[in-house]
Amino acid sequence: VVLMLCTAVCSVSLTLRMSDIQEMMLDSSVINSITTKDQIKVMPYLLLLPHVCIVKEGETYRIQNPEGQDIRVLLRRLASRLTITWENVSKNTGYVLKQVMLQSIPANYRLLRHPEDKATYPSLLDQYSTLQVPDVEESGSYTCWIPSVLRGESPNATSLYYRTKANAPKGSVYVTLVSQDPVNIKKKLSYRVYLGGSSSHDFNLYDNTNYVYGIKMSHSELPVDDKRITIVNPIGIFCWFQKAVRR
């Protein structure tokens, strides 16, 4: 098996066993450091040739399949490009936005899936992290690279309203937005928005793909029936003690 990991400025070619490649990982910091257009040239791309023959013709080499045919080459970006925009209309909601987080994000990039990863990818046993968006305001946006996450489809998520924790496949990526009552800071609203494709059933984030999401919070009453929102309203807990009296 021939593996080539390359960027616009350099490349590394290795000849390894398939099982060795499936255990290789790429640290997230390599892709997370790409924040500008000029830095895109260091984006890693993976070229995997699992069934090839390398034939020498004179002083040059040619790659062909076992039948002697030339092999077409397709380079795919390992990362998904994610852009989130949000707006909290505080004059309607009565709450001030304080926190935005991307959750259930794989910690690292796996160069090649295992054969058993067809239904869901990556494994739920892999390491995951939470990305905290800095300097959150009432409206804003955040863009980042994340590893591909494939969780399939949910038949119960028949609309955006039903993209809830109960209906989402395990391990799906989601955004959490936390707003706070400006007077009683213990009162909060926690919004959970699951990411995926354009269909409400789709909870997949594919590599080599750009995703853009817009989130607006403008309700004028507490959304008590919306299962995507958790209402945090702590109340005092009172305990009564009865003194035993011997008679």
Side-chain angles (χ1 to χ4, degrees):
V1 178
V2 176
L3 171 70
M4 179 177 288
L5 189 62
C6 57
T7 69
V9 295
C10 66
S11 65
V12 177
S13 180
L14 302 171
T15 302
L16 300 168
R17 294 178 303 175
M18 179 71 78
S19 59
D20 293 331
I21 298 174
Q22 289 170 335
E23 294 303 319
M24 296 176 67
M25 304 289 285
L26 177 68
D27 193 276
S28 294
S29 60
V30 176
I31 292 180
N32 291 342
S33 63
I34 302 172
T35 58
T36 66
K37 292 182 179 179
D38 293 336
Q39 294 173 330
I40 195 66
K41 61 180 179 292
V42 299
M43 168 63 71
Y45 289 86
L46 178 67
L47 170 62
L48 178 69
L49 304 176
H51 303 289
V52 300
C53 298
I54 301 178
V55 179
K56 186 175 182 180
E57 296 181 344
E59 297 300 321
T60 61
Y61 292 86
R62 184 165 60 90
I63 299 176
Q64 63 183 33
N65 64 18
E67 288 73 37
Q69 298 171 325
D70 288 338
I71 296 178
R72 299 181 65 183
V73 175
L74 174 65
L75 297 180
R76 291 184 62 85
R77 189 180 70 202
L78 282 176
S80 303
R81 186 65 164 171
L82 187 61
T83 298
I84 305 292
T85 64
W86 65 85
E87 180 184 2
N88 177 53
V89 185
S90 56
K91 66 178 182 180
N92 290 353
T93 66
Y95 286 70
V96 179
L97 188 63
K98 291 294 184 180
Q99 196 173 28
V100 177
M101 296 174 288
L102 297 176
Q103 299 193 262
S104 197
I105 306 297
N108 293 298
Y109 292 78
R110 188 175 294 279
L111 299 187
L112 186 66
R113 299 182 201 171
H114 287 281
E116 61 270 20
D117 289 337
K118 293 181 179 179
T120 183
Y121 172 82
S123 168
L124 297 176
L125 300 179
D126 280 8
Q127 291 185 332
Y128 292 83
S129 62
T130 294
L131 301 181
Q132 182 83 40
V133 177
D135 305 321
V136 172
E137 297 181 352
E138 292 289 73
S139 62
S141 65
Y142 181 73
T143 300
C144 64
W145 303 103
I146 67 168
S148 172
V149 180
L150 306 183
R151 300 304 183 207
E153 296 189 349
S154 170
N156 295 324
T158 53
S159 70
L160 295 178
Y161 185 82
Y162 292 103
R163 288 176 67 89
T164 62
K165 181 178 180 181
N167 293 334
K170 289 184 178 180
S172 298
V173 178
Y174 60 95
V175 182
T176 297
L177 305 98
V178 180
S179 59
Q180 180 178 281
D181 188 295
V183 178
N184 184 353
I185 61 175
K186 293 184 178 181
K187 295 174 63 176
K188 299 178 181 180
L189 297 179
S190 179
Y191 305 82
R192 177 179 292 210
V193 180
Y194 280 94
L195 306 184
S198 57
S199 166
S200 65
H201 300 285
D202 190 350
F203 289 81
N204 297 309
L205 294 173
Y206 290 97
D207 59 0
N208 202 42
T209 307
N210 298 335
Y211 293 91
V212 180
Y213 300 91
I215 303 170
K216 185 174 182 179
M217 296 152 285
S218 59
H219 52 85
S220 56
E221 298 179 354
L222 281 179
V224 293
D225 295 323
D226 195 329
K227 301 302 182 183
R228 299 169 298 176
I229 304 171
T230 300
I231 301 173
V232 181
N233 186 14
I235 59 175
I237 299 177
F238 300 93
C239 299
W240 289 267
F241 297 91
Q242 183 176 3
K243 185 177 181 180
V245 178
R246 186 186 296 266
R247 296 185 182 274

